[in-house]
Amino acid sequence: MTTSYRKQESSNPQFHHDFLNSLIGKEVQVYRKGPDSKIGKLLAAHSDYITLYVQKPKSIVYYNVQHIKSITENVKANAHSYYEQQEDAISCVQADDLLGLLKQLINENVHVNQGPDSRPGRLVAAVEDYIILFTKDDGYVFFNTAHIKSITVNSEKKTAMEAETAMEGNMQLDYVAASSFHDVFRHMNHKWVSINGKGPEAIEGVLSEGTGGHYTLVNNEEVLRIYPYHIKSISSGPKGSFKKVMENIEKNSQNQNEEDNSTSEDSQNETSDQGSNQDSNQSSNQDSNQSSNQSSNQDSDKDSSKDSSSDKDSSENSNKYSNQYSNKNNNKYSDNYRSNSNSRSYSRETVIESIDYDWNPRY
């Protein structure tokens, strides 16, 4: 009987999980306690993972069956299930195994694991025994598939996560293309790396390849000997280094924009000052021209008045002199005529010629 049981177990890897089929569509609790514990509706059970729909917050959680310690059914809640009305709104990815599921989730924003080990990001690649997740803190992080307890697709935080990981397309970063998780370590040999993320087992230092597939990690006076299979995740550089780099880039970009704006404002101010000076000069020139014209006109009027007065005076003096001269000559000629007429008697013709001659005096 025992031999038959073992044969059935080896020939059918889903033999241990056949009991889960009876729980599909019911409310269950995965894990009794801890950060990985979730209550929701069991949607599907496959060879090495199950699918759980959680209402608060609305999300789909894919659990790796190898790490599940317990699944509890809530009999009272299942008596009057409230999930039936929302079945049409529930959608999830279907695959034969966990690796096929991960490949279908590529380019999706997900959470790997729960609690302090949880890492949000965009799933970039899924290989035989590891996945690559792009995160805002550490850039590309390589996860050992054997240590992945759950993958969560959170529809409520999807927009925020897309904004966080949108920088990847702008940076055009490259990641290590390794055939296995062991090969990832070979590519990071003699580099500063961070291991196991933010959990209690997190450590960082310079990675050095040893013998027999083992590696050493040197951090100050500490030398750790590690084996890749027992490592949950690994990333290049110190913890949070990628975030600091992005913050510096953003800060420099803001400073550059501020400098450009300041330069543009200074240029606009210079243009405005030049325009103001031109307007002021034009106004000053106009005022000066108007004042000069007015003064010129006034001087011209004065000169004209003076000239007119001078002409008037000259005319008066000329008339006066002419009258005086005429009267004097008339009197002279009249007196001469009387005197001559008394002493001599001239003919009429002779007198007239003398008078005509005398009326053209030489002066």
Side-chain angles (χ1 to χ4, degrees):
M1 186 70 177
T2 304
T3 304
S4 176
Y5 179 86
R6 288 179 179 176
K7 287 182 179 180
Q8 189 174 7
E9 177 184 358
S10 61
S11 62
N12 185 8
Q14 196 175 350
F15 176 75
H16 284 297
H17 316 305
D18 285 340
F19 72 96
L20 294 175
N21 292 328
S22 61
L23 296 176
I24 294 176
K26 297 182 179 180
E27 180 180 325
V28 297
Q29 180 177 357
V30 181
Y31 292 98
R32 297 285 294 177
K33 295 180 181 180
D36 296 309
S37 178
K38 296 288 183 182
I39 298 176
K41 178 182 179 180
L42 186 62
L43 298 180
H46 299 276
S47 60
D48 54 357
Y49 78 95
I50 62 172
T51 305
L52 189 72
Y53 170 69
V54 180
Q55 280 197 325
K56 294 182 180 180
K58 290 183 178 180
S59 57
I60 302 293
V61 184
Y62 302 95
Y63 280 99
N64 188 345
V65 174
Q66 295 180 359
H67 296 282
I68 295 177
K69 296 180 180 179
S70 65
I71 296 181
T72 306
E73 178 187 1
N74 191 332
V75 180
K76 291 183 179 180
N78 290 330
H80 303 283
S81 178
Y82 55 88
Y83 291 100
E84 295 179 358
Q85 299 177 355
Q86 301 179 357
E87 283 186 357
D88 295 337
I90 300 173
S91 61
C92 61
V93 177
Q94 297 286 342
D96 294 334
D97 53 17
L98 184 61
L99 179 59
L101 170 71
L102 294 173
K103 289 182 177 180
Q104 292 192 44
L105 291 176
I106 289 177
N107 293 326
E108 291 287 339
N109 293 295
V110 300
H111 271 81
V112 178
N113 295 332
Q114 309 289 333
D117 292 334
S118 176
R119 302 294 294 275
R122 188 176 72 88
L123 187 59
V124 177
V127 191
E128 187 66 28
D129 60 348
Y130 75 93
I131 64 172
I132 304 175
L133 193 73
F134 180 79
T135 66
K136 68 172 185 178
D137 293 335
D138 301 311
Y140 291 109
V141 182
F142 301 82
F143 286 87
N144 189 348
T145 307
H147 293 284
I148 295 177
K149 294 183 179 180
S150 65
I151 297 289
T152 304
V153 180
N154 193 326
S155 58
E156 293 183 352
K157 297 182 179 180
K158 186 175 182 179
T159 304
M161 293 175 64
E162 287 177 351
E164 291 176 356
T165 57
M167 66 184 75
E168 180 194 6
N170 297 330
M171 293 295 294
Q172 296 182 350
L173 300 174
D174 294 328
Y175 56 86
V176 174
S179 59
S180 64
F181 196 60
H182 274 77
D183 198 23
V184 173
F185 278 72
R186 295 190 185 97
H187 282 82
M188 294 188 178
N189 191 30
H190 298 156
K191 293 182 180 179
W192 190 281
V193 298
S194 297
I195 289 177
N196 292 341
K198 300 179 180 179
E201 300 176 357
I203 188 66
E204 61 182 75
V206 178
L207 186 67
S208 179
E209 187 176 5
T211 59
H214 288 78
Y215 287 81
T216 58
L217 192 70
V218 181
N219 187 346
N220 295 328
E221 68 278 2
E222 295 182 347
V223 179
L224 289 83
R225 290 169 174 81
I226 57 177
Y227 189 68
Y229 177 80
H230 299 289
I231 301 302
K232 297 178 181 179
S233 65
I234 184 172
S235 61
S236 180
K239 287 184 293 185
S241 60
F242 182 78
K243 183 178 180 180
K244 293 179 181 179
V245 170
M246 294 305 301
E247 288 176 351
N248 291 332
I249 293 175
E250 184 177 0
K251 185 177 180 180
N252 293 334
S253 177
Q254 290 178 354
N255 293 335
Q256 184 65 34
N257 291 333
E258 290 177 358
E259 291 178 0
D260 294 341
N261 293 333
S262 177
T263 303
S264 177
E265 290 177 359
D266 292 340
S267 178
Q268 291 178 358
N269 291 333
E270 290 179 359
T271 304
S272 177
D273 292 339
Q274 292 177 357
S276 178
N277 291 333
Q278 290 178 359
D279 294 339
S280 177
N281 292 333
Q282 290 177 358
S283 178
S284 177
N285 292 333
Q286 291 177 358
D287 294 339
S288 178
N289 292 333
Q290 290 178 357
S291 177
S292 177
N293 292 333
Q294 290 178 358
S295 177
S296 177
N297 292 332
Q298 291 177 358
D299 294 339
S300 178
D301 293 340
K302 288 181 181 180
D303 293 339
S304 177
S305 177
K306 289 181 180 180
D307 292 340
S308 177
S309 177
S310 177
D311 293 340
K312 184 178 181 181
D313 293 339
S314 177
S315 177
E316 289 178 355
N317 292 331
S318 177
N319 293 332
K320 181 178 179 181
Y321 175 78
S322 178
N323 291 331
Q324 289 178 355
Y325 180 79
S326 177
N327 292 331
K328 183 177 179 179
N329 288 332
N330 287 335
N331 293 330
K332 178 180 178 180
Y333 294 136
S334 177
D335 291 339
N336 291 331
Y337 178 75
R338 288 191 186 98
S339 173
N340 293 326
S341 62
N342 293 327
S343 60
R344 298 178 182 179
S345 58
Y346 296 95
S347 65
R348 180 180 179 86
E349 183 179 357
T350 302
V351 172
I352 292 173
E353 290 179 355
S354 299
I355 292 173
D356 291 339
Y357 178 80
D358 290 338
W359 272 105
N360 293 306
R362 295 179 180 178
Y363 47 133

